[in-house]
Each structure stands twice: as C-alpha cells, then as structure tokens.
C-alpha cells in the first residue's frame, strides 16, 4: 500500500532547504541529534 505525504506550498521552500543542508554537511554542519531536533522544530512549527 502506498501512502502519500501532502505538503503545503508554503512548506516546500523550507523542506527544500532542509534536504539541501542535510545532504551537504561539508557546507553546513554534520547531522547530529541536535541538528535534527532543530529542524524538526522548524518543520513542525513552520
């Protein structure tokens, strides 16, 4: 069964930024628990 995740248009830029930063630790910071918690807060709170 396939589940679909719906993302508001206003959240696309934030999600794009997250994906870019998390996939480029040499440009930003290494993925850590703290980094993930900060991003979770940003993504949930919008």
């Amino acid at each position: 069964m396939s589940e679909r995740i719906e993302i508001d248009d206003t959240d696309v830029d934030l999600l794009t930024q997250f994906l870019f930063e998390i996939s480029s630790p040499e440009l930003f910071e290494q993925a850590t628990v703290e980094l993930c918690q900060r991003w979770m807060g940003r993504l949930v709170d919008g």
Side-chain angles (χ1 to χ4, degrees):
M1 177 181 279
S2 176
E3 292 185 33
R4 185 178 178 119
I5 298 173
E6 293 186 24
I7 301 171
D8 292 334
D9 290 338
T10 57
D11 295 330
V12 171
D13 289 338
L14 188 58
L15 183 57
T16 301
Q17 182 181 353
F18 164 73
L19 292 172
F20 179 70
E21 288 187 21
I22 205 74
S23 67
S24 306
E26 64 279 355
L27 298 176
F28 298 96
E29 55 184 294
Q30 294 291 322
T32 62
V33 171
E34 291 80 17
L35 175 66
C36 293
Q37 288 173 336
R38 276 198 316 264
W39 269 105
M40 285 297 297
R42 288 179 69 183
L43 293 168
V44 170
D45 295 338

